[in-house]
Amino acid sequence: MLEQQLRIAKEQIEILPKGTLRCTSSNGSDQYHINGEYISKKKRDYARKVAQREYDEKLVPLLEKVISKWEDLEFVYDNCVLENQFETMCNARKALVTPLIEPIEIKIERFMKEEYEPSTFGDDDKTELYTLQNERVRSKSELIIADELFRYGIPYRYEMPIELESRGKIVIFRPDFTVMNRRNGKKYIMEHLGMMDNPEYVERNIEKMDVYERNGILLGVNLLLTHETSKIPLCRNVLDSYIENYFI
């Protein structure tokens, strides 16, 4: 975006007239002078072009400076300069050092190895739905979500328990998915609301969302929701948009 604005500004400078604009006010009306000459209302468009050129000429060096800073930041980010300070050590040295800036691979490895007791399925639950990672899930939509995350190479855990505070007590929630951004290690809670045409189900999940929010897990920040009804299924395009915008 900045590079596009820089290009537009330079193109305008090439075609807009030169001049030194001075602005004054008389009886509450704006007046313009270019190179010392008063500009009448009929020539206001000329004043506008001169003002635009002066603005563009001041903006160009600032844009170039900002773009240069962004390029420096991109170099640090794309080349993992800070993370590699630890990663390039030999294994013997790594064993002696606790990295202040942890490589993303270590974060992902620890996240994926974290142990927890899986939730159980009731005796009356006859569904036999298994993901590409051989996890048993509770619905076809959860199967789609899990397998899509897997295909994108996104680290996730299914029904990983978290402790939250609710009305002065500690409660255990098992979000459908806990997902980690594979570039920066940020974790997200991802819930699929599969029966949004069931009023009792909707009410229970509103209460659930309230507990999340009171614990700093906020929609669009670190909480993501997908949804469907009996007539409107999970949209794969929307799911892919979530993955591309939040996890990659």
Side-chain angles (χ1 to χ4, degrees), residues 193-209:
L193 307 181
M195 297 186 293
M196 291 301 286
D197 46 0
N198 182 323
E200 293 182 0
Y201 176 88
V202 171
E203 185 175 351
R204 288 199 306 272
N205 277 280
I206 289 177
E207 293 175 355
K208 190 176 184 179
M209 296 307 111

Side-chain angles (χ1 to χ4, degrees), residues 16-118:
L16 292 174
K18 294 182 179 180
T20 302
L21 176 68
R22 184 170 64 90
C23 304
T24 61
S25 179
S26 178
N27 297 322
S29 298
D30 294 328
Q31 294 185 346
Y32 303 101
H33 305 260
I34 296 177
N35 299 329
E37 179 183 347
Y38 172 75
I39 302 299
S40 66
K41 289 185 179 180
K42 292 181 180 180
K43 296 183 179 180
R44 189 61 55 86
D45 187 59
Y46 176 60
R48 185 176 293 108
K49 292 178 179 179
V50 171
Q52 184 67 47
R53 181 185 176 114
E54 288 184 331
Y55 166 80
D56 291 343
E57 288 176 336
K58 292 179 180 179
L59 185 65
V60 163
L62 294 176
L63 281 169
E64 290 175 336
K65 184 176 181 180
V66 172
I67 289 171
S68 175
K69 297 295 184 182
W70 272 111
E71 289 172 346
D72 290 343
L73 183 59
E74 283 182 333
F75 172 81
V76 171
Y77 186 80
D78 292 341
N79 293 279
C80 301
V81 173
L82 301 176
E83 292 86 345
N84 285 342
Q85 185 63 29
F86 176 81
E87 196 61 23
T88 54
M89 292 179 177
C90 68
N91 290 333
R93 187 176 292 272
K94 284 182 180 178
L96 302 175
V97 173
T98 300
L100 297 179
I101 300 178
E102 198 172 42
I104 185 62
E105 290 79 9
I106 294 179
K107 291 182 181 180
I108 293 174
E109 182 181 11
R110 185 170 61 249
F111 173 63
M112 296 303 294
K113 287 185 175 180
E114 187 172 343
E115 296 184 357
Y116 60 92
E117 286 292 329

Side-chain angles (χ1 to χ4, degrees), residues 167-180:
R167 297 184 175 90
K169 298 181 180 179
I170 299 298
V171 295
I172 303 298
F173 275 20
R174 286 183 174 269
D176 295 331
F177 300 93
T178 304
V179 189
M180 178 175 281

